[in-house]
mmCIF file of all heavy atoms in Angstrom:
data_model
loop_
_atom_site.group_PDB
_atom_site.id
_atom_site.type_symbol
_atom_site.label_atom_id
_atom_site.label_comp_id
_atom_site.label_asym_id
_atom_site.label_seq_id
_atom_site.Cartn_x
_atom_site.Cartn_y
_atom_site.Cartn_z
ATOM 1 N N PHE V 457 105.894 74.502 109.516
ATOM 2 C CA PHE V 457 107.163 74.708 108.804
ATOM 3 C C PHE V 457 108.368 74.751 109.738
ATOM 4 O O PHE V 457 109.389 74.089 109.459
ATOM 5 C CB PHE V 457 107.105 75.982 107.956
ATOM 6 C CG PHE V 457 108.404 76.261 107.240
ATOM 7 C CD1 PHE V 457 108.815 75.469 106.182
ATOM 8 C CD2 PHE V 457 109.230 77.299 107.635
ATOM 9 C CE1 PHE V 457 110.011 75.711 105.516
ATOM 10 C CE2 PHE V 457 110.427 77.551 106.999
ATOM 11 C CZ PHE V 457 110.814 76.754 105.931
ATOM 12 N N PRO V 458 108.339 75.509 110.848
ATOM 13 C CA PRO V 458 109.526 75.531 111.725
ATOM 14 C C PRO V 458 109.945 74.150 112.224
ATOM 15 O O PRO V 458 111.139 73.811 112.147
ATOM 16 C CB PRO V 458 109.093 76.456 112.874
ATOM 17 C CG PRO V 458 108.060 77.342 112.260
ATOM 18 C CD PRO V 458 107.309 76.467 111.306
ATOM 19 N N PRO V 459 109.020 73.298 112.712
ATOM 20 C CA PRO V 459 109.457 71.963 113.127
ATOM 21 C C PRO V 459 110.036 71.141 111.982
ATOM 22 O O PRO V 459 110.995 70.381 112.174
ATOM 23 C CB PRO V 459 108.166 71.316 113.649
ATOM 24 C CG PRO V 459 107.275 72.449 114.007
ATOM 25 C CD PRO V 459 107.597 73.532 113.023
ATOM 26 N N MET V 460 109.487 71.308 110.778
ATOM 27 C CA MET V 460 109.974 70.542 109.634
ATOM 28 C C MET V 460 111.373 70.993 109.236
ATOM 29 O O MET V 460 112.261 70.159 108.972
ATOM 30 C CB MET V 460 109.003 70.687 108.462
ATOM 31 C CG MET V 460 109.241 69.718 107.324
ATOM 32 S SD MET V 460 107.936 69.775 106.061
ATOM 33 C CE MET V 460 106.614 68.901 106.910
ATOM 34 N N ALA V 461 111.584 72.315 109.207
ATOM 35 C CA ALA V 461 112.913 72.838 108.864
ATOM 36 C C ALA V 461 113.937 72.440 109.918
ATOM 37 O O ALA V 461 115.086 72.107 109.605
ATOM 38 C CB ALA V 461 112.847 74.359 108.724
ATOM 39 N N ARG V 462 113.527 72.465 111.195
ATOM 40 C CA ARG V 462 114.428 72.096 112.286
ATOM 41 C C ARG V 462 114.761 70.611 112.244
ATOM 42 O O ARG V 462 115.904 70.200 112.474
ATOM 43 C CB ARG V 462 113.789 72.474 113.619
ATOM 44 C CG ARG V 462 114.667 72.225 114.831
ATOM 45 C CD ARG V 462 114.107 72.883 116.072
ATOM 46 N NE ARG V 462 112.749 72.428 116.364
ATOM 47 C CZ ARG V 462 111.663 73.182 116.221
ATOM 48 N NH1 ARG V 462 111.779 74.425 115.786
ATOM 49 N NH2 ARG V 462 110.468 72.719 116.525
ATOM 50 N N ALA V 463 113.758 69.773 111.924
ATOM 51 C CA ALA V 463 113.978 68.328 111.877
ATOM 52 C C ALA V 463 114.988 67.954 110.803
ATOM 53 O O ALA V 463 115.784 67.019 110.981
ATOM 54 C CB ALA V 463 112.652 67.609 111.623
ATOM 55 N N HIS V 464 114.970 68.670 109.683
ATOM 56 C CA HIS V 464 115.929 68.373 108.609
ATOM 57 C C HIS V 464 117.364 68.567 109.088
ATOM 58 O O HIS V 464 118.263 67.838 108.653
ATOM 59 C CB HIS V 464 115.655 69.277 107.406
ATOM 60 C CG HIS V 464 116.683 69.147 106.320
ATOM 61 N ND1 HIS V 464 116.899 67.983 105.630
ATOM 62 C CD2 HIS V 464 117.565 70.061 105.809
ATOM 63 C CE1 HIS V 464 117.859 68.161 104.733
ATOM 64 N NE2 HIS V 464 118.275 69.410 104.827
ATOM 65 N N LYS V 465 117.566 69.499 110.015
ATOM 66 C CA LYS V 465 118.918 69.797 110.493
ATOM 67 C C LYS V 465 119.329 68.889 111.653
ATOM 68 O O LYS V 465 120.468 68.388 111.672
ATOM 69 C CB LYS V 465 118.998 71.264 110.926
ATOM 70 C CG LYS V 465 120.389 71.693 111.375
ATOM 71 C CD LYS V 465 120.428 73.185 111.696
ATOM 72 C CE LYS V 465 121.832 73.600 112.112
ATOM 73 N NZ LYS V 465 121.896 75.052 112.444
ATOM 74 N N ASN V 467 117.397 66.135 113.019
ATOM 75 C CA ASN V 467 116.917 64.751 113.007
ATOM 76 C C ASN V 467 116.437 64.368 111.614
ATOM 77 O O ASN V 467 115.255 64.079 111.397
ATOM 78 C CB ASN V 467 115.791 64.576 114.034
ATOM 79 C CG ASN V 467 115.313 63.142 114.135
ATOM 80 O OD1 ASN V 467 116.075 62.206 113.887
ATOM 81 N ND2 ASN V 467 114.044 62.968 114.485
ATOM 82 N N PRO V 468 117.339 64.352 110.622
ATOM 83 C CA PRO V 468 116.917 64.100 109.236
ATOM 84 C C PRO V 468 116.258 62.737 109.036
ATOM 85 O O PRO V 468 115.381 62.590 108.179
ATOM 86 C CB PRO V 468 118.228 64.204 108.443
ATOM 87 C CG PRO V 468 119.312 64.023 109.445
ATOM 88 C CD PRO V 468 118.785 64.572 110.733
ATOM 89 N N GLU V 469 116.658 61.740 109.837
ATOM 90 C CA GLU V 469 116.038 60.425 109.688
ATOM 91 C C GLU V 469 114.573 60.417 110.136
ATOM 92 O O GLU V 469 113.817 59.506 109.795
ATOM 93 C CB GLU V 469 116.819 59.358 110.469
ATOM 94 C CG GLU V 469 116.916 59.600 111.960
ATOM 95 C CD GLU V 469 118.086 60.496 112.353
ATOM 96 O OE1 GLU V 469 118.720 61.073 111.438
ATOM 97 O OE2 GLU V 469 118.355 60.614 113.552
ATOM 98 N N GLY V 470 114.174 61.448 110.879
ATOM 99 C CA GLY V 470 112.778 61.545 111.305
ATOM 100 C C GLY V 470 111.884 62.284 110.332
ATOM 101 O O GLY V 470 110.667 62.373 110.546
ATOM 102 N N MET V 471 112.450 62.825 109.242
ATOM 103 C CA MET V 471 111.673 63.604 108.272
ATOM 104 C C MET V 471 110.571 62.787 107.583
ATOM 105 O O MET V 471 109.456 63.291 107.404
ATOM 106 C CB MET V 471 112.601 64.217 107.233
ATOM 107 C CG MET V 471 113.356 65.451 107.723
ATOM 108 S SD MET V 471 112.254 66.849 108.048
ATOM 109 C CE MET V 471 111.861 67.363 106.386
ATOM 110 N N PRO V 472 110.829 61.543 107.163
ATOM 111 C CA PRO V 472 109.740 60.784 106.519
ATOM 112 C C PRO V 472 108.508 60.644 107.407
ATOM 113 O O PRO V 472 107.380 60.828 106.935
ATOM 114 C CB PRO V 472 110.396 59.425 106.246
ATOM 115 C CG PRO V 472 111.846 59.722 106.112
ATOM 116 C CD PRO V 472 112.113 60.807 107.113
ATOM 117 N N LEU V 474 107.631 62.594 109.859
ATOM 118 C CA LEU V 474 107.025 63.914 110.041
ATOM 119 C C LEU V 474 106.194 64.298 108.820
ATOM 120 O O LEU V 474 105.091 64.853 108.954
ATOM 121 C CB LEU V 474 108.117 64.958 110.289
ATOM 122 C CG LEU V 474 107.652 66.394 110.538
ATOM 123 C CD1 LEU V 474 106.704 66.452 111.730
ATOM 124 C CD2 LEU V 474 108.847 67.311 110.756
ATOM 125 N N LEU V 475 106.698 63.989 107.619
ATOM 126 C CA LEU V 475 105.939 64.295 106.404
ATOM 127 C C LEU V 475 104.659 63.465 106.347
ATOM 128 O O LEU V 475 103.593 63.980 105.985
ATOM 129 C CB LEU V 475 106.795 64.044 105.168
ATOM 130 C CG LEU V 475 106.094 64.294 103.818
ATOM 131 C CD1 LEU V 475 105.618 65.738 103.706
ATOM 132 C CD2 LEU V 475 107.022 63.950 102.653
ATOM 133 N N LEU V 531 101.832 71.724 101.197
ATOM 134 C CA LEU V 531 102.653 70.896 102.089
ATOM 135 C C LEU V 531 103.897 70.393 101.371
ATOM 136 O O LEU V 531 105.011 70.451 101.915
ATOM 137 C CB LEU V 531 101.831 69.711 102.604
ATOM 138 C CG LEU V 531 102.607 68.675 103.434
ATOM 139 C CD1 LEU V 531 103.161 69.304 104.710
ATOM 140 C CD2 LEU V 531 101.720 67.484 103.772
ATOM 141 N N PHE V 532 103.733 69.904 100.141
ATOM 142 C CA PHE V 532 104.896 69.427 99.392
ATOM 143 C C PHE V 532 105.895 70.574 99.154
ATOM 144 O O PHE V 532 107.112 70.394 99.295
ATOM 145 C CB PHE V 532 104.464 68.827 98.054
ATOM 146 C CG PHE V 532 103.916 67.432 98.155
ATOM 147 C CD1 PHE V 532 102.665 67.125 97.632
ATOM 148 C CD2 PHE V 532 104.634 66.428 98.766
ATOM 149 C CE1 PHE V 532 102.149 65.840 97.725
ATOM 150 C CE2 PHE V 532 104.126 65.134 98.860
ATOM 151 C CZ PHE V 532 102.876 64.837 98.338
ATOM 152 N N GLY V 533 105.371 71.746 98.794
ATOM 153 C CA GLY V 533 106.253 72.885 98.589
ATOM 154 C C GLY V 533 107.025 73.223 99.842
ATOM 155 O O GLY V 533 108.241 73.497 99.808
ATOM 156 N N GLN V 534 106.337 73.212 100.984
ATOM 157 C CA GLN V 534 106.985 73.496 102.260
ATOM 158 C C GLN V 534 108.047 72.449 102.583
ATOM 159 O O GLN V 534 109.135 72.766 103.085
ATOM 160 C CB GLN V 534 105.931 73.514 103.362
ATOM 161 C CG GLN V 534 106.481 73.622 104.770
ATOM 162 C CD GLN V 534 105.384 73.587 105.790
ATOM 163 O OE1 GLN V 534 104.775 74.596 106.081
ATOM 164 N NE2 GLN V 534 105.095 72.411 106.334
ATOM 165 N N TYR V 535 107.755 71.200 102.275
ATOM 166 C CA TYR V 535 108.700 70.117 102.549
ATOM 167 C C TYR V 535 109.998 70.326 101.763
ATOM 168 O O TYR V 535 111.103 70.219 102.316
ATOM 169 C CB TYR V 535 108.075 68.769 102.186
ATOM 170 C CG TYR V 535 109.057 67.617 102.197
ATOM 171 C CD1 TYR V 535 109.464 67.045 103.396
ATOM 172 C CD2 TYR V 535 109.589 67.114 101.007
ATOM 173 C CE1 TYR V 535 110.378 66.001 103.416
ATOM 174 C CE2 TYR V 535 110.492 66.068 101.016
ATOM 175 C CZ TYR V 535 110.885 65.513 102.223
ATOM 176 O OH TYR V 535 111.799 64.486 102.234
ATOM 177 N N PHE V 536 109.871 70.629 100.461
ATOM 178 C CA PHE V 536 111.081 70.795 99.648
ATOM 179 C C PHE V 536 111.884 72.025 100.064
ATOM 180 O O PHE V 536 113.114 72.024 99.979
ATOM 181 C CB PHE V 536 110.711 70.861 98.161
ATOM 182 C CG PHE V 536 110.310 69.534 97.588
ATOM 183 C CD1 PHE V 536 108.992 69.293 97.200
ATOM 184 C CD2 PHE V 536 111.232 68.516 97.457
ATOM 185 C CE1 PHE V 536 108.612 68.066 96.683
ATOM 186 C CE2 PHE V 536 110.863 67.277 96.948
ATOM 187 C CZ PHE V 536 109.544 67.048 96.559
ATOM 188 N N VAL V 537 111.206 73.070 100.525
ATOM 189 C CA VAL V 537 111.925 74.237 101.045
ATOM 190 C C VAL V 537 112.682 73.857 102.318
ATOM 191 O O VAL V 537 113.838 74.253 102.509
ATOM 192 C CB VAL V 537 110.952 75.400 101.326
ATOM 193 C CG1 VAL V 537 111.655 76.525 102.094
ATOM 194 C CG2 VAL V 537 110.389 75.943 100.028
ATOM 195 N N SER V 538 112.051 73.084 103.187
ATOM 196 C CA SER V 538 112.662 72.733 104.469
ATOM 197 C C SER V 538 113.898 71.856 104.304
ATOM 198 O O SER V 538 114.782 71.854 105.160
ATOM 199 C CB SER V 538 111.642 72.029 105.371
ATOM 200 O OG SER V 538 111.295 70.768 104.846
ATOM 201 N N ILE V 539 113.994 71.102 103.190
ATOM 202 C CA ILE V 539 115.173 70.258 102.959
ATOM 203 C C ILE V 539 116.119 70.907 101.943
ATOM 204 O O ILE V 539 116.995 70.227 101.389
ATOM 205 C CB ILE V 539 114.772 68.840 102.506
ATOM 206 C CG1 ILE V 539 114.046 68.872 101.163
ATOM 207 C CG2 ILE V 539 113.922 68.160 103.572
ATOM 208 C CD1 ILE V 539 113.772 67.484 100.584
ATOM 209 N N ASP V 540 115.899 72.202 101.681
ATOM 210 C CA ASP V 540 116.778 72.981 100.785
ATOM 211 C C ASP V 540 116.790 72.447 99.353
ATOM 212 O O ASP V 540 117.809 72.481 98.662
ATOM 213 C CB ASP V 540 118.213 73.018 101.332
ATOM 214 C CG ASP V 540 118.289 73.679 102.687
ATOM 215 O OD1 ASP V 540 117.585 74.682 102.895
ATOM 216 O OD2 ASP V 540 119.044 73.192 103.558
ATOM 217 N N ARG V 541 115.643 71.962 98.899
ATOM 218 C CA ARG V 541 115.522 71.512 97.505
ATOM 219 C C ARG V 541 114.354 72.231 96.835
ATOM 220 O O ARG V 541 113.634 71.662 96.019
ATOM 221 C CB ARG V 541 115.317 69.993 97.453
ATOM 222 C CG ARG V 541 116.482 69.182 97.987
ATOM 223 C CD ARG V 541 116.167 67.697 97.962
ATOM 224 N NE ARG V 541 115.995 67.195 96.606
ATOM 225 C CZ ARG V 541 115.459 66.004 96.317
ATOM 226 N NH1 ARG V 541 115.020 65.223 97.289
ATOM 227 N NH2 ARG V 541 115.343 65.610 95.071
ATOM 228 N N GLN V 542 114.175 73.518 97.177
ATOM 229 C CA GLN V 542 113.038 74.278 96.666
ATOM 230 C C GLN V 542 113.081 74.447 95.155
ATOM 231 O O GLN V 542 112.029 74.665 94.521
ATOM 232 C CB GLN V 542 112.957 75.653 97.335
ATOM 233 C CG GLN V 542 114.198 76.502 97.206
ATOM 234 C CD GLN V 542 115.151 76.327 98.374
ATOM 235 O OE1 GLN V 542 115.171 75.291 99.015
ATOM 236 N NE2 GLN V 542 115.932 77.359 98.645
ATOM 237 N N HIS V 543 114.278 74.339 94.558
ATOM 238 C CA HIS V 543 114.378 74.488 93.109
ATOM 239 C C HIS V 543 113.574 73.399 92.381
ATOM 240 O O HIS V 543 113.059 73.628 91.281
ATOM 241 C CB HIS V 543 115.838 74.444 92.664
ATOM 242 C CG HIS V 543 116.527 73.142 92.952
ATOM 243 N ND1 HIS V 543 116.965 72.800 94.212
ATOM 244 C CD2 HIS V 543 116.830 72.087 92.152
ATOM 245 C CE1 HIS V 543 117.527 71.602 94.170
ATOM 246 N NE2 HIS V 543 117.460 71.145 92.935
ATOM 247 N N ILE V 544 113.472 72.225 92.998
ATOM 248 C CA ILE V 544 112.709 71.133 92.381
ATOM 249 C C ILE V 544 111.242 71.514 92.282
ATOM 250 O O ILE V 544 110.601 71.347 91.235
ATOM 251 C CB ILE V 544 112.874 69.831 93.202
ATOM 252 C CG1 ILE V 544 114.315 69.345 93.116
ATOM 253 C CG2 ILE V 544 111.905 68.750 92.702
ATOM 254 C CD1 ILE V 544 114.579 68.106 93.937
ATOM 255 N N TRP V 545 110.697 72.051 93.384
ATOM 256 C CA TRP V 545 109.284 72.412 93.383
ATOM 257 C C TRP V 545 109.022 73.626 92.505
ATOM 258 O O TRP V 545 107.957 73.751 91.906
ATOM 259 C CB TRP V 545 108.797 72.657 94.802
ATOM 260 C CG TRP V 545 107.306 72.620 94.912
ATOM 261 C CD1 TRP V 545 106.473 73.653 95.230
ATOM 262 C CD2 TRP V 545 106.459 71.497 94.696
ATOM 263 N NE1 TRP V 545 105.170 73.254 95.224
ATOM 264 C CE2 TRP V 545 105.126 71.916 94.889
ATOM 265 C CE3 TRP V 545 106.694 70.161 94.346
ATOM 266 C CZ2 TRP V 545 104.038 71.063 94.753
ATOM 267 C CZ3 TRP V 545 105.616 69.310 94.205
ATOM 268 C CH2 TRP V 545 104.309 69.768 94.410
ATOM 269 N N GLY V 593 104.841 65.659 93.449
ATOM 270 C CA GLY V 593 105.339 65.727 94.815
ATOM 271 C C GLY V 593 105.451 64.355 95.441
ATOM 272 O O GLY V 593 106.431 64.043 96.136
ATOM 273 N N LEU V 596 108.506 62.646 93.972
ATOM 274 C CA LEU V 596 109.784 63.331 94.127
ATOM 275 C C LEU V 596 110.336 63.255 95.551
ATOM 276 O O LEU V 596 111.525 63.477 95.758
ATOM 277 C CB LEU V 596 109.646 64.807 93.719
ATOM 278 C CG LEU V 596 109.545 65.070 92.217
ATOM 279 C CD1 LEU V 596 109.215 66.543 91.952
ATOM 280 C CD2 LEU V 596 110.840 64.689 91.505
ATOM 281 N N VAL V 597 109.474 62.974 96.531
ATOM 282 C CA VAL V 597 109.993 62.799 97.888
ATOM 283 C C VAL V 597 110.825 61.523 97.919
ATOM 284 O O VAL V 597 110.658 60.636 97.068
ATOM 285 C CB VAL V 597 108.853 62.740 98.928
ATOM 286 C CG1 VAL V 597 108.068 64.038 98.929
ATOM 287 C CG2 VAL V 597 107.928 61.553 98.669
ATOM 288 N N PRO V 598 111.737 61.387 98.875
ATOM 289 C CA PRO V 598 112.592 60.189 98.933
ATOM 290 C C PRO V 598 111.797 58.894 98.928
ATOM 291 O O PRO V 598 110.722 58.804 99.515
ATOM 292 C CB PRO V 598 113.355 60.374 100.252
ATOM 293 C CG PRO V 598 113.402 61.853 100.446
ATOM 294 C CD PRO V 598 112.100 62.371 99.900
ATOM 295 N N ARG V 599 112.347 57.887 98.252
ATOM 296 C CA ARG V 599 111.679 56.596 98.111
ATOM 297 C C ARG V 599 111.329 56.000 99.487
ATOM 298 O O ARG V 599 112.171 55.989 100.398
ATOM 299 C CB ARG V 599 112.585 55.630 97.348
ATOM 300 C CG ARG V 599 111.928 54.285 97.019
ATOM 301 C CD ARG V 599 112.948 53.362 96.353
ATOM 302 N NE ARG V 599 113.430 53.921 95.095
ATOM 303 C CZ ARG V 599 112.838 53.720 93.928
ATOM 304 N NH1 ARG V 599 111.738 52.976 93.864
ATOM 305 N NH2 ARG V 599 113.344 54.252 92.832
ATOM 306 N N THR V 601 109.123 57.163 101.576
ATOM 307 C CA THR V 601 108.542 58.132 102.514
ATOM 308 C C THR V 601 107.030 57.995 102.557
ATOM 309 O O THR V 601 106.416 57.925 103.621
ATOM 310 C CB THR V 601 108.931 59.563 102.113
ATOM 311 O OG1 THR V 601 110.354 59.695 102.137
ATOM 312 C CG2 THR V 601 108.322 60.577 103.078
#
Side-chain angles (χ1 to χ4, degrees):
F457 178 71
M460 192 172 285
R462 184 168 57 251
H464 174 63
K465 183 176 181 181
N467 184 28
E469 60 274 9
M471 282 294 286
L474 182 58
L475 178 60
L531 174 63
F532 281 126
Q534 173 182 276
Y535 169 78
F536 287 111
V537 170
S538 67
I539 63 173
D540 299 321
R541 296 177 65 194
Q542 56 268 27
H543 63 283
I544 293 178
W545 197 246
L596 286 172
V597 298
R599 186 184 298 272
T601 300

